[in-house]
Amino acid sequence: MKKRQLMRRKRVLVTGGAGFLGSFLCERLLALGNEVLCADNFFTGTRDNIAAILGNYRFELLRHDITFPLYVEVDEIYNLACPASPIHYQHDPVQTTKTSVHGAINMLGLAKRTGARILQASTSEIYGDPEIHPQNESYWGRVNPIGPRSCYDEGKRCAETLFFDYWRQHRLPIKVARIFNTYGPRMQPDDGRVVSNFVLQALRNQPITIYGDGQQTRSFCFVEDLIEGLIRLMDSPDDVTGPVNLGNPVEFRMLELAQMVIALTGSASKLEYSPLPQDDPRQRQPDIGLARQLLDWQPAVSLEEGLGRTIDYFRQQMDLGQIEG
Ligand code: NAD
Ligand code: UDP
Ligand code: UDP
């Protein structure tokens, strides 16, 4: 028998697999021939997001909260479970910190017992409101430890600490991805993120809500590009632990984003200004030099193309009556 036929399929655990990023990751891992176990407590994820793969015999769905221990046998773990939008992570901030910290401990314990490789979905929020621009991985960040965003920012920072301590103490094969703003189909319509807000407002011909003067910047990565980066990071050699920035380095002002969405939708929406939320970073742009060098990765989808695909998705959801028109 050839060696290839003896090789077993990988069993991959995706926590938060019913969420926005997680559902795309599960699909991609299945397409690559893996067995996928999705563990999700459905706080922000939905069965709709994974409807297309629920019938796949290599896919298994487990309703589970990762703040509790989980005993399963796997080869790889992608730890994505955590609400990502301010509205959702501030809804129950204590649970958000527990998910990041207790969740990381449980998943690291699982990785330690099974010998699995483990990847953490960290975030650009660990840089806080940065003093350097663009942000590279050696920057330690400027984060308020006691503000409304702290449950998320500090929870994710502590999770990174745990990952590196398990690596130092137990030689666990870890991977830490610092994900910058990502957008695309299956963003939740009610999560208050700027892309979904602007697209829905434009499709409904409602005012586009600009917070502050709209001069603050973000750089937006299309979901497919991001998933490719996560998979390349997981597949990288053991000595590549990260943290590695994953995001699109092309930077836009929120005002420019609003104008692009209006143009692409042909909307009659006008701009409406309201105050900037507390601790809202002024600028954010990833330095992806490390990802380019270590993973040979960079985003391929332009904002215009990705927005077009996102707009198509939300339009379709409205036509189906899944989202109010
Ligand atoms: P999402 O809210 O759509 O997905 C998170 C998923 O985790 C949901 O399915 C939710 O139900 C699940 N979940 C939450 N708490 C859980 C718990 N205690 N146990 C089990 N499941 C739980 O968010 P997303 O945008 O897909 O983000 C996925 C990950 O990527 C998060 O860890 C987030 O911090 C990180 N991230 C996302 C972005 C982005 O722009 N989308 C940017 C940086 C980092
Ligand atoms: N754990 C888990 N699944 C496993 C192994 C461990 O959920 O397969 C959890 C367990 O609850 C433990 C945590 O992971 O509290 C950390 O495990 P570790 O072995 O690192 O620490 P210890 O059990 O010694 O506290
Ligand atoms: N924002 C905005 N209008 C909205 C939603 C968000 O102007 O309807 C701004 C928000 O103040 C921030 C940027 O858009 O400066 C990105 O916000 P989001 O919540 O999407 O991401 P994050 O702040 O976590 O990067």
Side-chain angles (χ1 to χ4, degrees):
M1 200 186 285
K2 284 195 198 119
K3 194 172 173 208
R4 198 142 51 95
Q5 286 171 299
L6 288 170
M7 272 168 56
R8 194 172 41 76
R9 277 189 200 121
K10 271 189 295 189
R11 298 159 304 182
V12 186
L13 168 64
V14 179
T15 75
F20 162 48
L21 300 183
S23 59
F24 280 95
L25 179 61
C26 289
E27 274 176 14
R28 183 73 200 288
L29 289 166
L30 286 169
L32 290 170
N34 301 293
E35 287 176 22
V36 176
L37 172 59
C38 161
D40 202 297
N41 70 351
F42 296 113
F43 176 55
T44 49
T46 62
R47 292 175 73 87
D48 283 349
N49 284 341
I50 45 173
I53 50 177
L54 274 172
N56 188 321
Y57 74 98
R58 283 185 281 110
F59 181 74
E60 195 180 342
L61 175 63
L62 190 64
R63 183 185 288 266
H64 177 77
D65 182 330
I66 62 157
T67 62
F68 296 97
L70 175 65
Y71 286 81
V72 289
E73 306 311 311
V74 289
D75 305 301
E76 286 180 354
I77 305 166
Y78 287 84
N79 188 34
L80 270 63
C82 186
S85 75
I87 287 183
H88 290 132
Y89 71 64
Q90 290 172 16
H91 170 75
D92 185 349
V94 174
Q95 171 68 11
T96 300
T97 303
K98 280 187 189 169
T99 293
S100 281
V101 178
H102 293 182
I105 292 174
N106 286 329
M107 292 308 106
L108 286 161
L110 172 60
K112 190 177 119 196
R113 184 182 59 76
T114 56
R117 285 185 156 211
I118 179 163
L119 181 147
Q120 166 69 355
S122 190
T123 167
S124 55
E125 296 285 332
I126 70 111
Y127 298 124
D129 195 359
E131 299 125 312
I132 68 153
H133 196 73
Q135 294 83 51
N136 64 40
E137 293 84 350
S138 58
Y139 177 55
W140 289 356
R142 186 164 77 109
V143 173
N144 175 358
I146 56 166
R149 295 175 84 111
S150 310
C151 58
Y152 185 72
D153 301 3
E154 297 288 16
K156 289 284 188 179
R157 286 171 71 93
C158 184
E160 286 202 10
T161 307
L162 284 160
F163 268 68
F164 278 86
D165 281 334
Y166 269 78
W167 173 68
R168 276 185 288 262
Q169 211 171 316
H170 303 297
R171 307 312 302 169
L172 234 64
I174 62 152
K175 311 279 174 189
V176 175
R178 289 188 180 151
I179 303 170
F180 283 65
N181 297 58
T182 303
Y183 71 100
R186 298 190 204 139
M187 288 184 91
Q188 292 146 61
D190 61 345
D191 75 358
R193 305 306 291 267
V194 69
V195 172
S196 42
N197 270 12
F198 285 6
V199 168
L200 285 170
Q201 289 161 346
L203 290 176
R204 292 168 177 152
N205 291 309
Q206 290 169 347
I208 306 266
T209 52
I210 308 273
Y211 301 161
D213 58 8
Q215 296 298 321
Q216 72 272 34
T217 69
R218 294 291 187 275
S219 32
F220 299 101
C221 186
F222 190 61
V223 59
E224 276 177 14
D225 282 335
L226 196 274
I227 299 304
E228 175 66 28
L230 290 180
I231 287 179
R232 284 190 190 210
L233 178 58
M234 181 64 102
D235 291 346
S236 63
D238 275 356
D239 61 347
V240 177
T241 57
V244 179
N245 287 342
L246 294 178
N248 194 322
V250 186
E251 195 181 1
F252 290 90
R253 297 185 189 288
M254 294 311 99
L255 219 44
E256 291 174 295
L257 176 71
Q259 280 150 0
M260 199 184 281
V261 170
I262 290 174
L264 288 170
T265 49
S267 170
S269 293
K270 300 274 174 278
L271 304 183
E272 186 180 88
Y273 290 85
S274 54
L276 199 66
Q278 192 189 331
D279 295 342
D280 196 277
R282 295 294 307 164
Q283 275 190 315
R284 193 176 306 122
Q285 184 195 24
D287 176 338
I288 59 162
L290 202 58
R292 279 200 177 100
Q293 179 201 327
L294 295 175
L295 313 176
D296 189 23
W297 175 87
Q298 62 181 13
V301 180
S302 69
L303 183 59
E304 196 162 359
E305 184 191 338
L307 275 180
R309 288 166 68 180
T310 310
I311 290 165
D312 288 347
Y313 166 80
F314 279 119
R315 237 191 216 124
Q316 203 179 33
Q317 292 294 101
M318 280 182 177
D319 291 346
L320 290 170
Q322 304 279 7
I323 297 178
E324 219 175 295

PDB file of all heavy atoms in Angstrom, residues 246-275:
ATOM      1  N   LEU A 246      -2.244  39.416  10.607  1.00  0.00           N
ATOM      2  CA  LEU A 246      -2.956  39.044   9.382  1.00  0.00           C
ATOM      3  C   LEU A 246      -4.019  40.107   9.131  1.00  0.00           C
ATOM      4  O   LEU A 246      -4.898  40.326   9.975  1.00  0.00           O
ATOM      5  CB  LEU A 246      -3.621  37.678   9.511  1.00  0.00           C
ATOM      6  CG  LEU A 246      -2.704  36.456   9.646  1.00  0.00           C
ATOM      7  CD1 LEU A 246      -3.531  35.183   9.816  1.00  0.00           C
ATOM      8  CD2 LEU A 246      -1.768  36.314   8.438  1.00  0.00           C
ATOM      9  N   GLY A 247      -3.923  40.763   8.026  1.00  0.00           N
ATOM     10  CA  GLY A 247      -4.894  41.811   7.701  1.00  0.00           C
ATOM     11  C   GLY A 247      -4.503  42.431   6.383  1.00  0.00           C
ATOM     12  O   GLY A 247      -3.489  42.060   5.782  1.00  0.00           O
ATOM     13  N   ASN A 248      -5.323  43.372   5.942  1.00  0.00           N
ATOM     14  CA  ASN A 248      -5.038  44.046   4.683  1.00  0.00           C
ATOM     15  C   ASN A 248      -4.395  45.400   4.988  1.00  0.00           C
ATOM     16  O   ASN A 248      -4.972  46.190   5.717  1.00  0.00           O
ATOM     17  CB  ASN A 248      -6.347  44.238   3.907  1.00  0.00           C
ATOM     18  CG  ASN A 248      -6.086  44.625   2.471  1.00  0.00           C
ATOM     19  OD1 ASN A 248      -5.166  45.388   2.198  1.00  0.00           O
ATOM     20  ND2 ASN A 248      -6.868  44.077   1.567  1.00  0.00           N
ATOM     21  N   PRO A 249      -3.190  45.646   4.468  1.00  0.00           N
ATOM     22  CA  PRO A 249      -2.507  46.887   4.832  1.00  0.00           C
ATOM     23  C   PRO A 249      -3.061  48.142   4.154  1.00  0.00           C
ATOM     24  O   PRO A 249      -2.641  49.249   4.480  1.00  0.00           O
ATOM     25  CB  PRO A 249      -1.062  46.631   4.399  1.00  0.00           C
ATOM     26  CG  PRO A 249      -1.120  45.540   3.409  1.00  0.00           C
ATOM     27  CD  PRO A 249      -2.363  44.760   3.634  1.00  0.00           C
ATOM     28  N   VAL A 250      -3.995  47.992   3.216  1.00  0.00           N
ATOM     29  CA  VAL A 250      -4.522  49.191   2.542  1.00  0.00           C
ATOM     30  C   VAL A 250      -5.498  49.892   3.488  1.00  0.00           C
ATOM     31  O   VAL A 250      -6.484  49.303   3.929  1.00  0.00           O
ATOM     32  CB  VAL A 250      -5.215  48.828   1.204  1.00  0.00           C
ATOM     33  CG1 VAL A 250      -5.616  50.100   0.470  1.00  0.00           C
ATOM     34  CG2 VAL A 250      -4.304  47.979   0.345  1.00  0.00           C
ATOM     35  N   GLU A 251      -5.184  51.155   3.794  1.00  0.00           N
ATOM     36  CA  GLU A 251      -5.895  51.873   4.855  1.00  0.00           C
ATOM     37  C   GLU A 251      -6.928  52.843   4.269  1.00  0.00           C
ATOM     38  O   GLU A 251      -6.659  53.500   3.272  1.00  0.00           O
ATOM     39  CB  GLU A 251      -4.825  52.658   5.624  1.00  0.00           C
ATOM     40  CG  GLU A 251      -5.234  53.189   6.944  1.00  0.00           C
ATOM     41  CD  GLU A 251      -4.078  53.970   7.583  1.00  0.00           C
ATOM     42  OE1 GLU A 251      -3.001  54.089   6.974  1.00  0.00           O
ATOM     43  OE2 GLU A 251      -4.283  54.466   8.690  1.00  0.00           O
ATOM     44  N   PHE A 252      -8.094  52.898   4.915  1.00  0.00           N
ATOM     45  CA  PHE A 252      -9.153  53.811   4.448  1.00  0.00           C
ATOM     46  C   PHE A 252      -9.709  54.619   5.620  1.00  0.00           C
ATOM     47  O   PHE A 252      -9.798  54.110   6.738  1.00  0.00           O
ATOM     48  CB  PHE A 252     -10.323  53.014   3.838  1.00  0.00           C
ATOM     49  CG  PHE A 252     -10.003  52.367   2.528  1.00  0.00           C
ATOM     50  CD1 PHE A 252      -9.483  51.081   2.484  1.00  0.00           C
ATOM     51  CD2 PHE A 252     -10.200  53.039   1.326  1.00  0.00           C
ATOM     52  CE1 PHE A 252      -9.165  50.476   1.280  1.00  0.00           C
ATOM     53  CE2 PHE A 252      -9.889  52.442   0.116  1.00  0.00           C
ATOM     54  CZ  PHE A 252      -9.376  51.151   0.090  1.00  0.00           C
ATOM     55  N   ARG A 253     -10.133  55.852   5.335  1.00  0.00           N
ATOM     56  CA  ARG A 253     -10.887  56.635   6.328  1.00  0.00           C
ATOM     57  C   ARG A 253     -12.329  56.167   6.285  1.00  0.00           C
ATOM     58  O   ARG A 253     -12.816  55.735   5.226  1.00  0.00           O
ATOM     59  CB  ARG A 253     -10.833  58.127   5.990  1.00  0.00           C
ATOM     60  CG  ARG A 253      -9.441  58.663   6.033  1.00  0.00           C
ATOM     61  CD  ARG A 253      -9.378  60.165   5.823  1.00  0.00           C
ATOM     62  NE  ARG A 253      -7.980  60.553   5.665  1.00  0.00           N
ATOM     63  CZ  ARG A 253      -7.087  60.581   6.644  1.00  0.00           C
ATOM     64  NH1 ARG A 253      -7.444  60.272   7.875  1.00  0.00           N
ATOM     65  NH2 ARG A 253      -5.831  60.908   6.419  1.00  0.00           N
ATOM     66  N   MET A 254     -13.026  56.284   7.426  1.00  0.00           N
ATOM     67  CA  MET A 254     -14.419  55.816   7.471  1.00  0.00           C
ATOM     68  C   MET A 254     -15.292  56.595   6.483  1.00  0.00           C
ATOM     69  O   MET A 254     -16.245  56.061   5.923  1.00  0.00           O
ATOM     70  CB  MET A 254     -14.976  55.894   8.897  1.00  0.00           C
ATOM     71  CG  MET A 254     -14.319  54.949   9.883  1.00  0.00           C
ATOM     72  SD  MET A 254     -14.201  53.244   9.289  1.00  0.00           S
ATOM     73  CE  MET A 254     -12.526  53.172   8.721  1.00  0.00           C
ATOM     74  N   LEU A 255     -14.925  57.856   6.271  1.00  0.00           N
ATOM     75  CA  LEU A 255     -15.643  58.676   5.297  1.00  0.00           C
ATOM     76  C   LEU A 255     -15.491  58.103   3.878  1.00  0.00           C
ATOM     77  O   LEU A 255     -16.455  58.050   3.106  1.00  0.00           O
ATOM     78  CB  LEU A 255     -15.067  60.103   5.351  1.00  0.00           C
ATOM     79  CG  LEU A 255     -16.018  61.280   5.232  1.00  0.00           C
ATOM     80  CD1 LEU A 255     -17.275  61.124   6.047  1.00  0.00           C
ATOM     81  CD2 LEU A 255     -15.270  62.573   5.631  1.00  0.00           C
ATOM     82  N   GLU A 256     -14.282  57.650   3.566  1.00  0.00           N
ATOM     83  CA  GLU A 256     -14.036  57.052   2.240  1.00  0.00           C
ATOM     84  C   GLU A 256     -14.833  55.757   2.091  1.00  0.00           C
ATOM     85  O   GLU A 256     -15.400  55.474   1.035  1.00  0.00           O
ATOM     86  CB  GLU A 256     -12.552  56.728   2.065  1.00  0.00           C
ATOM     87  CG  GLU A 256     -11.642  57.914   1.956  1.00  0.00           C
ATOM     88  CD  GLU A 256     -10.176  57.487   1.945  1.00  0.00           C
ATOM     89  OE1 GLU A 256      -9.688  56.938   2.955  1.00  0.00           O
ATOM     90  OE2 GLU A 256      -9.524  57.698   0.925  1.00  0.00           O
ATOM     91  N   LEU A 257     -14.869  54.986   3.188  1.00  0.00           N
ATOM     92  CA  LEU A 257     -15.621  53.731   3.147  1.00  0.00           C
ATOM     93  C   LEU A 257     -17.098  54.019   2.869  1.00  0.00           C
ATOM     94  O   LEU A 257     -17.724  53.360   2.023  1.00  0.00           O
ATOM     95  CB  LEU A 257     -15.464  52.987   4.482  1.00  0.00           C
ATOM     96  CG  LEU A 257     -16.270  51.694   4.617  1.00  0.00           C
ATOM     97  CD1 LEU A 257     -15.695  50.585   3.737  1.00  0.00           C
ATOM     98  CD2 LEU A 257     -16.311  51.208   6.066  1.00  0.00           C
ATOM     99  N   ALA A 258     -17.639  55.022   3.562  1.00  0.00           N
ATOM    100  CA  ALA A 258     -19.059  55.381   3.381  1.00  0.00           C
ATOM    101  C   ALA A 258     -19.311  55.754   1.921  1.00  0.00           C
ATOM    102  O   ALA A 258     -20.297  55.306   1.309  1.00  0.00           O
ATOM    103  CB  ALA A 258     -19.415  56.536   4.311  1.00  0.00           C
ATOM    104  N   GLN A 259     -18.404  56.549   1.363  1.00  0.00           N
ATOM    105  CA  GLN A 259     -18.599  56.983  -0.027  1.00  0.00           C
ATOM    106  C   GLN A 259     -18.528  55.802  -0.994  1.00  0.00           C
ATOM    107  O   GLN A 259     -19.311  55.711  -1.947  1.00  0.00           O
ATOM    108  CB  GLN A 259     -17.558  58.054  -0.389  1.00  0.00           C
ATOM    109  CG  GLN A 259     -17.982  59.416   0.139  1.00  0.00           C
ATOM    110  CD  GLN A 259     -16.797  60.334   0.492  1.00  0.00           C
ATOM    111  OE1 GLN A 259     -15.644  59.945   0.331  1.00  0.00           O
ATOM    112  NE2 GLN A 259     -17.106  61.529   0.979  1.00  0.00           N
ATOM    113  N   MET A 260     -17.623  54.864  -0.723  1.00  0.00           N
ATOM    114  CA  MET A 260     -17.492  53.694  -1.597  1.00  0.00           C
ATOM    115  C   MET A 260     -18.760  52.831  -1.527  1.00  0.00           C
ATOM    116  O   MET A 260     -19.260  52.346  -2.546  1.00  0.00           O
ATOM    117  CB  MET A 260     -16.262  52.867  -1.182  1.00  0.00           C
ATOM    118  CG  MET A 260     -15.789  51.939  -2.263  1.00  0.00           C
ATOM    119  SD  MET A 260     -14.424  50.872  -1.747  1.00  0.00           S
ATOM    120  CE  MET A 260     -13.038  51.927  -1.841  1.00  0.00           C
ATOM    121  N   VAL A 261     -19.289  52.657  -0.312  1.00  0.00           N
ATOM    122  CA  VAL A 261     -20.506  51.833  -0.154  1.00  0.00           C
ATOM    123  C   VAL A 261     -21.683  52.497  -0.873  1.00  0.00           C
ATOM    124  O   VAL A 261     -22.459  51.834  -1.581  1.00  0.00           O
ATOM    125  CB  VAL A 261     -20.821  51.610   1.349  1.00  0.00           C
ATOM    126  CG1 VAL A 261     -22.194  50.989   1.532  1.00  0.00           C
ATOM    127  CG2 VAL A 261     -19.755  50.724   1.986  1.00  0.00           C
ATOM    128  N   ILE A 262     -21.805  53.814  -0.749  1.00  0.00           N
ATOM    129  CA  ILE A 262     -22.903  54.529  -1.426  1.00  0.00           C
ATOM    130  C   ILE A 262     -22.773  54.353  -2.942  1.00  0.00           C
ATOM    131  O   ILE A 262     -23.750  54.041  -3.633  1.00  0.00           O
ATOM    132  CB  ILE A 262     -22.906  56.030  -1.032  1.00  0.00           C
ATOM    133  CG1 ILE A 262     -23.340  56.175   0.432  1.00  0.00           C
ATOM    134  CG2 ILE A 262     -23.820  56.835  -1.948  1.00  0.00           C
ATOM    135  CD1 ILE A 262     -23.240  57.588   0.993  1.00  0.00           C
ATOM    136  N   ALA A 263     -21.542  54.489  -3.442  1.00  0.00           N
ATOM    137  CA  ALA A 263     -21.335  54.365  -4.893  1.00  0.00           C
ATOM    138  C   ALA A 263     -21.660  52.948  -5.369  1.00  0.00           C
ATOM    139  O   ALA A 263     -22.355  52.761  -6.377  1.00  0.00           O
ATOM    140  CB  ALA A 263     -19.894  54.725  -5.236  1.00  0.00           C
ATOM    141  N   LEU A 264     -21.202  51.929  -4.626  1.00  0.00           N
ATOM    142  CA  LEU A 264     -21.398  50.534  -5.071  1.00  0.00           C
ATOM    143  C   LEU A 264     -22.854  50.089  -4.976  1.00  0.00           C
ATOM    144  O   LEU A 264     -23.286  49.203  -5.720  1.00  0.00           O
ATOM    145  CB  LEU A 264     -20.508  49.577  -4.256  1.00  0.00           C
ATOM    146  CG  LEU A 264     -19.009  49.629  -4.545  1.00  0.00           C
ATOM    147  CD1 LEU A 264     -18.236  48.815  -3.519  1.00  0.00           C
ATOM    148  CD2 LEU A 264     -18.718  49.094  -5.955  1.00  0.00           C
ATOM    149  N   THR A 265     -23.609  50.662  -4.053  1.00  0.00           N
ATOM    150  CA  THR A 265     -25.012  50.257  -3.903  1.00  0.00           C
ATOM    151  C   THR A 265     -25.943  51.157  -4.719  1.00  0.00           C
ATOM    152  O   THR A 265     -27.115  50.835  -4.884  1.00  0.00           O
ATOM    153  CB  THR A 265     -25.460  50.335  -2.420  1.00  0.00           C
ATOM    154  OG1 THR A 265     -25.085  51.606  -1.904  1.00  0.00           O
ATOM    155  CG2 THR A 265     -24.846  49.243  -1.577  1.00  0.00           C
ATOM    156  N   GLY A 266     -25.420  52.304  -5.173  1.00  0.00           N
ATOM    157  CA  GLY A 266     -26.284  53.273  -5.872  1.00  0.00           C
ATOM    158  C   GLY A 266     -27.332  53.834  -4.927  1.00  0.00           C
ATOM    159  O   GLY A 266     -28.459  54.137  -5.337  1.00  0.00           O
ATOM    160  N   SER A 267     -26.957  53.982  -3.651  1.00  0.00           N
ATOM    161  CA  SER A 267     -27.920  54.368  -2.622  1.00  0.00           C
ATOM    162  C   SER A 267     -28.173  55.877  -2.609  1.00  0.00           C
ATOM    163  O   SER A 267     -27.337  56.672  -3.036  1.00  0.00           O
ATOM    164  CB  SER A 267     -27.361  53.944  -1.267  1.00  0.00           C
ATOM    165  OG  SER A 267     -28.103  54.478  -0.225  1.00  0.00           O
ATOM    166  N   ALA A 268     -29.333  56.244  -2.065  1.00  0.00           N
ATOM    167  CA  ALA A 268     -29.664  57.662  -1.898  1.00  0.00           C
ATOM    168  C   ALA A 268     -29.340  58.128  -0.479  1.00  0.00           C
ATOM    169  O   ALA A 268     -29.713  59.233  -0.085  1.00  0.00           O
ATOM    170  CB  ALA A 268     -31.153  57.869  -2.204  1.00  0.00           C
ATOM    171  N   SER A 269     -28.656  57.294   0.300  1.00  0.00           N
ATOM    172  CA  SER A 269     -28.360  57.621   1.706  1.00  0.00           C
ATOM    173  C   SER A 269     -27.502  58.878   1.834  1.00  0.00           C
ATOM    174  O   SER A 269     -26.617  59.119   1.019  1.00  0.00           O
ATOM    175  CB  SER A 269     -27.594  56.468   2.368  1.00  0.00           C
ATOM    176  OG  SER A 269     -28.404  55.344   2.485  1.00  0.00           O
ATOM    177  N   LYS A 270     -27.762  59.627   2.930  1.00  0.00           N
ATOM    178  CA  LYS A 270     -26.931  60.795   3.280  1.00  0.00           C
ATOM    179  C   LYS A 270     -26.099  60.437   4.517  1.00  0.00           C
ATOM    180  O   LYS A 270     -26.411  59.475   5.223  1.00  0.00           O
ATOM    181  CB  LYS A 270     -27.831  61.994   3.605  1.00  0.00           C
ATOM    182  CG  LYS A 270     -28.724  62.423   2.453  1.00  0.00           C
ATOM    183  CD  LYS A 270     -27.977  63.387   1.529  1.00  0.00           C
ATOM    184  CE  LYS A 270     -28.765  63.747   0.279  1.00  0.00           C
ATOM    185  NZ  LYS A 270     -28.692  62.773  -0.800  1.00  0.00           N
ATOM    186  N   LEU A 271     -25.066  61.232   4.769  1.00  0.00           N
ATOM    187  CA  LEU A 271     -24.226  60.970   5.936  1.00  0.00           C
ATOM    188  C   LEU A 271     -24.817  61.631   7.180  1.00  0.00           C
ATOM    189  O   LEU A 271     -25.367  62.721   7.099  1.00  0.00           O
ATOM    190  CB  LEU A 271     -22.810  61.510   5.707  1.00  0.00           C
ATOM    191  CG  LEU A 271     -22.096  60.990   4.455  1.00  0.00           C
ATOM    192  CD1 LEU A 271     -20.673  61.531   4.384  1.00  0.00           C
ATOM    193  CD2 LEU A 271     -22.074  59.457   4.405  1.00  0.00           C
ATOM    194  N   GLU A 272     -24.693  60.948   8.320  1.00  0.00           N
ATOM    195  CA  GLU A 272     -25.187  61.492   9.597  1.00  0.00           C
ATOM    196  C   GLU A 272     -24.068  61.301  10.633  1.00  0.00           C
ATOM    197  O   GLU A 272     -23.584  60.188  10.808  1.00  0.00           O
ATOM    198  CB  GLU A 272     -26.428  60.701  10.015  1.00  0.00           C
ATOM    199  CG  GLU A 272     -27.139  61.223  11.234  1.00  0.00           C
ATOM    200  CD  GLU A 272     -28.367  60.334  11.543  1.00  0.00           C
ATOM    201  OE1 GLU A 272     -28.185  59.331  12.268  1.00  0.00           O
ATOM    202  OE2 GLU A 272     -29.465  60.638  11.047  1.00  0.00           O
ATOM    203  N   TYR A 273     -23.704  62.391  11.313  1.00  0.00           N
ATOM    204  CA  TYR A 273     -22.559  62.321  12.245  1.00  0.00           C
ATOM    205  C   TYR A 273     -23.027  62.146  13.681  1.00  0.00           C
ATOM    206  O   TYR A 273     -24.007  62.750  14.100  1.00  0.00           O
ATOM    207  CB  TYR A 273     -21.711  63.596  12.126  1.00  0.00           C
ATOM    208  CG  TYR A 273     -20.967  63.665  10.803  1.00  0.00           C
ATOM    209  CD1 TYR A 273     -21.587  64.185   9.663  1.00  0.00           C
ATOM    210  CD2 TYR A 273     -19.674  63.189  10.684  1.00  0.00           C
ATOM    211  CE1 TYR A 273     -20.928  64.227   8.439  1.00  0.00           C
ATOM    212  CE2 TYR A 273     -18.997  63.228   9.467  1.00  0.00           C
ATOM    213  CZ  TYR A 273     -19.632  63.747   8.350  1.00  0.00           C
ATOM    214  OH  TYR A 273     -18.969  63.773   7.150  1.00  0.00           O
ATOM    215  N   SER A 274     -22.328  61.288  14.444  1.00  0.00           N
ATOM    216  CA  SER A 274     -22.603  61.164  15.884  1.00  0.00           C
ATOM    217  C   SER A 274     -21.264  60.995  16.625  1.00  0.00           C
ATOM    218  O   SER A 274     -20.242  60.736  15.985  1.00  0.00           O
ATOM    219  CB  SER A 274     -23.574  60.020  16.164  1.00  0.00           C
ATOM    220  OG  SER A 274     -23.107  58.839  15.599  1.00  0.00           O
ATOM    221  N   PRO A 275     -21.258  61.145  17.984  1.00  0.00           N
ATOM    222  CA  PRO A 275     -19.977  61.147  18.697  1.00  0.00           C
ATOM    223  C   PRO A 275     -19.201  59.835  18.559  1.00  0.00           C
ATOM    224  O   PRO A 275     -19.782  58.759  18.411  1.00  0.00           O
ATOM    225  CB  PRO A 275     -20.384  61.371  20.159  1.00  0.00           C
ATOM    226  CG  PRO A 275     -21.767  61.896  20.122  1.00  0.00           C
ATOM    227  CD  PRO A 275     -22.411  61.361  18.881  1.00  0.00           C
TER     228      PRO A 275
END
